[in-house]
Amino acid sequence: MLIGLLSATPVVAQSEELLPEGLDISFKLIPGVTVVGMMLLFLGVGYLYKVANTGDMWVAGRSIGNVENGMAIGANWMSAASYLGMAAVIALSGVYGLAYVVGWTTGYFILLIFMAAQMRRFGKYTAPDFVGDRFNSDAARALAAVTTFLIGFVYALGQARGMGLVGMYVLGDITAVVPLGGLSAYQAMMTLFMLITIGYLALSGMLGATKNMVLQYTILIVAFLAGLLVTGWSAGYSTVLPQIEYGMLINDLSAEFSDPFAGGSYYLWIATCFSLVFGTCGLPHVLVRFYTVQNERVARWSCTWGLFFICLLYLSAPAFAAFGTALYGDQIGAVYGDPGMTGAAGDVIVVLATQLAGLPTWLVGLVAAGGIAAAVATTAGLFIAASSAISHDIYANIINEDATQRQQVLVGRLSIIAIGVLTIIFALDPQQPIAALVGFAFSLAAIVLFPMFFLGLWWENANRQGALAGMVSGLVLWFIPMLNEGNFGLVNGGDGWGIELLTTWMPAIGSALVATPLVLAIMIVVSIVTDEPPERTKMMVRQCHSPDPMPKDKTAADIVAEKTHKTPPADD
Amino acid sequence: MRDTDTHEHSSEVSDSRDTDGELTDVEKEQQIDYLDVEINLLKPATPFMRDHLQIIWLGFAVWTVTTFGPITATRIAPDLMTTTMPAIGFPLHYFLIAIGAPSAALLLSVWYARKRDQLDEKYGIEQMRIEQMETTTETASEEIATADGGLE
């Protein structure tokens, strides 16, 4: 089951039913209120902001400062994967888990030097819009939309798993009260929180409350850092700087925690890290942040600030993992070996650590609520992106060009329900930990979308045929290792094909190391042997690199249209 | 906003010409219309892009070392890399990976953003004045509709 990710790991026991051992599973009022309160606060403040400045949000609103935008980047980044999954993978797989810390932070530098400012100048920020405009192709737009949908779905699986597991701490085993047709405690809780997510989505839609990212970031980081600080303090591991002080603890932990290749081979480390780095540069919800700034200088500095805010979390997660591992070893049993810590307990290690440190329920509840709120808010965002890809880019652009607003909204809603149901079904029995599930989405972004953005911005001769060939082969290349390892349970009832060679050299979690260069090569070769793109497209790319300032409400296409005294293309 | 057609800078950068009368980079740059130059990552077509790409590639090289270097060094010399560090107690490889790599990326980002600002200065590119920046930061708390939050 875990062959792909943990092939070189000592067996990590995965119980049939997802039940984090050691976690106090019971109904708790205060944590429950905290979860609801946090989400209502996100909605409420978002709504107030909307009331405060109506109207020209799109145009005039494109002027957010460095720090605010940096925090928004941080908030976008804070999903269950960062909040829960990263400490989990570090606790379970030791140094291999650090590939996630490195991949999910250092990727921002690549994004900064190669794409942030150029993206801002191009002015198209969703993957389908960018690909459609840059490569003048509806087919390319549709492929990008399908990819966006898939990314949202795979990413959401990890979030759903996180909600279900942490939800059990907050609300207990609801199947003990209301039997739900044989669902396990995890399954019932995951389903419940997915329904809450859909409700959150609907509410924020009705209120028009765009998430207040600054507030969201602040609440989540405070919950996480306070939990870490108090845990370290009360367990006697650290005083004021747990992010450094956990170093003294490492030698007391089992060797697996810090042995270089105990949790995964060198190749697997590099492949995973590579996938996460370039996935960062291809993820639509990351790139969108550069559209919201007033100029390229702010794009650059807010990317830098974003990395700073992300580092606050990412330098702390290993400390949480170390404390959790130590407490688990003291109070529950050996962390590694057989039976060892289960994947389920790993995924809640952040909550488990605070609980085992004997902290009061409200404080553990705050940490748990942070994890759930991060998962719910991220999932809501992903679902919106996925549904707009379907309703706007596929339905209104391709299937029914005369679609009315009503029809589009209807299709959008239906696709949210569809992706919600899909997520619930596939998250009933997730075979991988949170971090790996989300990692698959990064592989996909790195393989299919990153080459489009990168070559699209940096090589004017990249053309439609190249993009189409690249995206199609990219999707195929992503699916091969996924199916080989039996993810989604689609092949051989979840065993996959199990081709040894592929599992070793093209693991799903790090498939981008092989596939991204391949896709880049395919795109380059096909672009060279086919016709060059039209002059207008080339000029758009050139405009992205000009050092001259651009007015903030203009896209590269507008400038080119003005220059050539033509109207912008009515359709791509 | 300012005039969009800023391609012809009204050169406040009145750089001196080279003694032999050749154009300086800055002057060459001012005569270039970007809509006419080829964009190719490997063949920078203008002095500005050449300077910019130099910074980019240098940053990229350092980034490669700080990101993939520690784990690679650990693969090559495991004993040396796993020695315990004095004072803070980390095994060296753990420290370099968990703390070194993310911090290095952060420092590199600051370095790049600074460098790029200097480049703007060299070529007389004005993004936004300081006063303007400040006023925007104050009004900036408005959260705008984004793709992930831009609800229908």
Side-chain angles (χ1 to χ4, degrees), chain A residues 443-526:
Chain A
S443 293
L444 180 58
I447 295 171
V448 180
L449 296 181
F450 170 73
M452 301 304 126
F453 291 131
F454 184 70
L455 283 183
L457 286 171
W458 280 101
W459 187 43
E460 62 179 31
N461 287 341
N463 66 9
R464 175 192 312 174
Q465 291 84 347
L468 288 173
M471 281 200 283
V472 171
S473 47
L475 280 167
V476 173
L477 284 169
W478 179 75
F479 266 111
I480 291 173
M482 287 297 282
L483 296 180
N484 181 49
E485 289 167 25
N487 289 302
F488 305 150
L490 293 179
V491 177
N492 296 340
D495 286 343
W497 303 318
I499 303 167
E500 192 74 38
L501 193 73
L502 262 182
T503 316
T504 313
W505 296 107
M506 200 174 161
I509 187 69
S511 50
L513 182 60
V514 173
T516 302
L518 266 177
V519 170
L520 286 170
I522 290 170
M523 204 171 153
I524 291 172
V525 170
V526 174

Side-chain angles (χ1 to χ4, degrees), chain B residues 93-109:
Chain B
H93 72 288
Y94 205 94
F95 182 82
L96 287 179
I97 297 170
I99 296 179
S103 312
L106 180 58
L107 291 178
L108 276 170
S109 299

Side-chain angles (χ1 to χ4, degrees), chain A residues 49 53 57-58 61 63-65 68 76 90 95 98 101-102 105-106 109-110 112-114 125-126 204-205 209-211 213 243-244 246-248 250-251 257-258 260-261 266 269-270 273 277 288-289 292 294-298 300-301 304 307-308 311 315 381 384 409 454 457-461 539 541-543 545-549 551 554 562-563, chain B residues 1-2 4-9 29 33-41 48-49 52-53 56-57 59-60 63 67-68 71-72 74-75 78 82 84 87-91 93-95 97-99 101-103 105-106 108-114 116-117 120 125-128 133 136-137 139-152:
Chain A
Y49 269 111
N53 48 130
M57 282 175 60
W58 273 107
S63 54
I64 290 191
E68 285 87 348
N76 268 347
I90 296 167
V95 172
L98 295 179
V101 176
V102 176
T105 51
T106 60
F109 180 67
I110 299 302
L112 170 68
I113 58 176
F114 287 117
Y125 58 96
T126 71
S204 66
T210 58
K211 285 173 286 178
M213 297 304 231
Q243 290 84 349
I244 295 289
Y246 76 95
M248 300 304 280
I250 290 181
N251 278 333
F257 189 82
S258 62
F261 303 106
Y266 171 70
W269 198 101
I270 298 283
C273 190
V277 164
V288 66
R289 282 289 147 204
T292 62
Q294 57 188 341
N295 62 42
E296 300 100 81
R297 183 167 188 274
V298 179
R300 291 192 295 269
W301 279 104
T304 306
L307 181 53
F308 169 77
C311 278
L315 293 178
I384 290 164
V409 171
F454 184 70
L457 286 171
W458 280 101
W459 187 43
E460 62 179 31
N461 287 341
M539 286 165 102
V541 179
R542 293 167 188 168
Q543 177 58 27
H545 292 272
S546 161
D548 291 325
K554 287 236 163 69
E562 271 170 30
K563 277 275 175 180
Chain B
M1 269 313 285
R2 261 190 317 280
T4 59
D5 196 1
T6 39
H7 282 285
E8 290 77 36
H9 283 290
E29 185 69 24
D33 185 336
Y34 267 76
L35 297 189
D36 299 330
V37 299
E38 192 193 343
I39 298 298
N40 182 331
L41 181 63
F48 169 78
M49 286 193 71
H52 187 195
L53 277 166
I56 289 181
W57 288 122
F60 184 69
W63 173 89
T67 302
F68 297 108
I71 192 80
T72 308
T74 311
R75 181 82 173 79
T82 49
T84 303
I88 50 174
F90 276 97
H93 72 288
Y94 205 94
F95 182 82
I97 297 170
I99 296 179
S103 312
L106 180 58
L108 276 170
S109 299
V110 174
W111 167 82
Y112 168 81
R114 281 237 179 113
R116 187 49 229 277
D117 284 352
D120 279 6
I125 303 156
E126 282 180 58
Q127 295 273 355
M128 192 63 70
M133 293 293 292
T136 359
T137 321
T139 54
S141 34
E142 50 191 285
E143 179 61 18
I144 49 84
T146 63
D148 55 350
L151 297 151
E152 294 170 336

Side-chain angles (χ1 to χ4, degrees), chain A residues 235-238 245-259 321-330 333-336, chain B residues 84 88-91 94:
Chain A
Y237 298 136
S238 63
E245 288 176 80
Y246 76 95
M248 300 304 280
L249 187 64
I250 290 181
N251 278 333
D252 301 337
L253 298 173
S254 302
E256 283 90 341
F257 189 82
S258 62
D259 263 5
F323 297 164
T325 310
L327 289 163
Y328 186 100
D330 284 349
V335 177
Y336 305 98
Chain B
T84 303
I88 50 174
F90 276 97
Y94 205 94

Side-chain angles (χ1 to χ4, degrees), chain A residues 349-492:
Chain A
I349 193 89
V350 167
V351 180
L352 196 55
T354 42
Q355 180 206 310
L356 294 179
L359 301 181
T361 313
W362 66 267
L363 190 58
V364 186
L366 180 70
V367 175
I372 292 179
V376 170
T378 306
T379 310
L382 289 167
F383 282 10
I384 290 164
S387 87
S388 92
I390 298 295
S391 66
H392 176 70
D393 296 304
I394 292 188
Y395 180 70
N397 249 302
I398 295 165
I399 298 178
N400 178 2
E401 290 188 22
D402 307 318
T404 61
Q405 194 69 29
R406 261 179 83 91
Q407 284 172 316
Q408 274 195 56
V409 171
L410 182 69
V411 172
R413 289 200 180 131
L414 287 177
S415 48
I416 285 185
I417 293 173
I419 193 176
V421 172
L422 262 180
T423 308
I424 291 177
I425 292 173
F426 280 91
L428 283 177
D429 183 23
Q431 297 168 328
Q432 302 275 9
I434 300 171
L437 289 168
V438 172
F440 296 148
F442 276 73
S443 293
L444 180 58
I447 295 171
V448 180
L449 296 181
F450 170 73
M452 301 304 126
F453 291 131
F454 184 70
L455 283 183
L457 286 171
W458 280 101
W459 187 43
E460 62 179 31
N461 287 341
N463 66 9
R464 175 192 312 174
Q465 291 84 347
L468 288 173
M471 281 200 283
V472 171
S473 47
L475 280 167
V476 173
L477 284 169
W478 179 75
F479 266 111
I480 291 173
M482 287 297 282
L483 296 180
N484 181 49
E485 289 167 25
N487 289 302
F488 305 150
L490 293 179
V491 177
N492 296 340

